[in-house]
């Protein structure tokens, strides 16, 4: 039983190491990217609080975007439109 548990721990450690390598590899590729875009869809039922949090999260990423596209998926509430207008003037 002890041998099986130690094999499982060893196997899980290899998986974690493999995942860490994959994450580092992705980070290295992201650093080399010169241009990339983020596209976000917004619809009426999105709470403006969460819309603001989502936009701020994208704008404050470690890897800066060159293009951030927000698609209005149908009519929005006035407060949502005002928020998007505020961001479009700021950026």
């Amino acid at each position: 039983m002890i041998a099986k548990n130690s094999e499982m721990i060893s196997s899980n450690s290899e998986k974690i190491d493999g995942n860490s390598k994959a994450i580092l590899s992705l980070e290295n590729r992201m650093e080399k990217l010169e241009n990339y875009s983020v596209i976000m869809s917004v619809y009426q039922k999105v709470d403006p609080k969460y819309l603001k949090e989502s936009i701020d999260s994208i704008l404050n990423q470690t890897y800066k975007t060159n293009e951030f596209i927000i698609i209005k998926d149908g009519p929005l509430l006035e407060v949502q439109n005002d928020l998007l207008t505020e961001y479009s003037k700021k950026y």
Side-chain angles (χ1 to χ4, degrees):
M1 190 71 161
I2 294 173
K4 283 187 178 180
N5 286 340
S6 64
E7 287 173 14
M8 287 175 52
I9 291 170
S10 175
S11 175
N12 287 337
S13 296
E14 289 172 9
K15 288 178 185 175
I16 291 169
D17 289 343
N19 288 340
S20 297
K21 289 177 186 173
I23 291 169
L24 289 173
S25 175
L26 177 61
E27 288 177 350
N28 289 338
R29 283 184 278 164
M30 292 295 288
E31 286 175 3
K32 292 177 184 176
L33 285 177
E34 293 180 16
N35 299 315
Y36 72 99
S37 301
V38 174
I39 300 172
M40 183 173 85
S41 180
V42 178
Y43 60 99
Q44 191 174 31
K45 293 185 180 183
V46 173
D47 186 323
K49 171 186 161 188
Y50 298 121
L51 176 59
K52 182 175 181 356
E53 285 179 11
S54 297
I55 293 171
D56 287 340
S57 175
I58 291 168
L59 293 173
N60 294 318
Q61 296 183 79
T62 302
Y63 304 107
K64 299 299 179 194
T65 60
N66 291 0
E67 183 177 46
F68 180 22
I69 301 167
I70 299 176
I71 299 171
K72 292 182 181 181
D73 192 8
L76 298 179
L77 300 172
E78 186 175 342
V79 66
Q80 292 167 319
N81 276 319
D82 292 346
L83 184 65
L84 293 176
T85 301
E86 178 184 324
Y87 277 102
S88 68
K89 288 178 181 177
K90 189 174 180 179
Y91 295 95

